[in-house]
Amino acid sequence: GLYTSIALDSSNNPHISYYDNTNFDLKYASHTINVGWSTTTVNSVGTIGLYCSIALDSSDNPHISYYDSSGGGLRYSSYTATKGWTTSAPDVVGDTGKYTSIALDSSNNPHISYYDETNDDLRYTSHTVNVGWTLSTVDSTDDVGSFTSIALDSSNNPYISYYKTTGQDLLCASHTVNVGWTTNSVFTAGNVGSESSIILDNSKNIH
């Protein structure tokens, strides 16, 4: 039950991703009135499933980002009724993939923010069917990028809140096609910004 993340489907049923610390596995649970709770092991290869984050697509299928502690990389799993669970490794260079956060755009493409511990950087990846996974370093100034949280605006632009260990500050990064990545300090007084969570309202205001 560690590292839980929850999302509700179009019928308001809960879907939860979490880490099984006894078996070192990524687990998934969902609930419907007629069936009750059902649980499944999504990935059990090594010590895997830490820092998981879940999102549901327009067909209520789950998408989960998480950290592979054994391999030191970012992992992504998604489910469809026809294929079952499928898993990919978007980023495996160095010890990367901690503090993941996932959001799906209007075309059900995944966008993931995460921390690269090898380089102490904030990283971001997204996937489309035609291109595959694209990777980018969002912020590399000092030790930065832990405790990430990602949200997309109505134009599918990503916004990421995160913690800068050097200076102990809360920061926010955003991306547009014309400008690229921009970063801003949100709060810098004292030790603040860990365990952050971000959401955008209908006017694209950041909370």
Side-chain angles (χ1 to χ4, degrees):
L2 280 69
Y3 301 104
T4 71
S5 181
I6 191 170
L8 303 180
D9 64 27
S10 57
S11 300
N12 294 322
N13 297 308
H15 300 249
I16 306 172
S17 64
Y18 59 101
Y19 176 63
D20 178 351
N21 197 39
T22 298
N23 299 297
F24 314 118
D25 298 337
L26 174 66
K27 304 287 284 292
Y28 163 79
S30 61
H31 182 277
T32 59
I33 294 176
N34 295 330
V35 178
W37 285 102
S38 61
T39 62
T40 186
T41 299
V42 178
N43 198 328
S44 60
V45 180
T47 301
I48 198 161
L50 293 80
Y51 304 103
C52 62
S53 179
I54 192 171
L56 303 180
D57 62 28
S58 57
S59 299
D60 294 330
N61 294 312
H63 300 246
I64 306 172
S65 62
Y66 53 100
Y67 173 64
D68 178 359
S69 183
S70 297
L74 176 68
R75 298 292 183 270
Y76 162 81
S77 294
S78 60
Y79 177 86
T80 62
T82 54
K83 294 182 179 180
W85 287 100
T86 59
T87 297
S88 60
D91 193 351
V92 295
V93 178
D95 188 5
T96 191
K98 292 184 176 180
Y99 303 106
T100 77
S101 183
I102 190 171
L104 304 180
D105 62 28
S106 56
S107 299
N108 295 322
N109 297 310
H111 300 247
I112 303 171
S113 60
Y114 57 101
Y115 176 59
D116 175 2
E117 190 167 49
T118 297
N119 299 295
D120 299 326
D121 294 342
L122 172 64
R123 299 273 287 169
Y124 161 84
T125 184
S126 62
H127 182 277
T128 59
V129 175
N130 294 331
V131 177
W133 291 102
T134 58
L135 306 170
S136 61
T137 297
V138 179
D139 194 344
S140 60
T141 305
D142 301 316
D143 187 351
V144 67
S146 55
F147 301 105
T148 77
S149 180
I150 193 170
L152 306 178
D153 65 19
S154 56
S155 301
N156 296 324
N157 295 310
Y159 293 72
I160 305 171
S161 66
Y162 58 103
Y163 180 62
K164 184 176 183 179
T165 303
T166 306
Q168 302 175 328
D169 300 331
L170 173 65
L171 280 71
C172 180
S174 60
H175 183 276
T176 60
V177 175
N178 295 330
V179 177
W181 286 104
T182 59
T183 62
N184 293 281
S185 296
V186 178
F187 204 85
T188 59
N191 184 2
V192 65
S194 63
E195 316 289 350
S196 72
S197 182
I198 192 171
I199 195 168
L200 304 177
D201 61 30
N202 292 332
S203 300
K204 299 183 181 182
N205 296 310
I206 307 168
H207 302 256

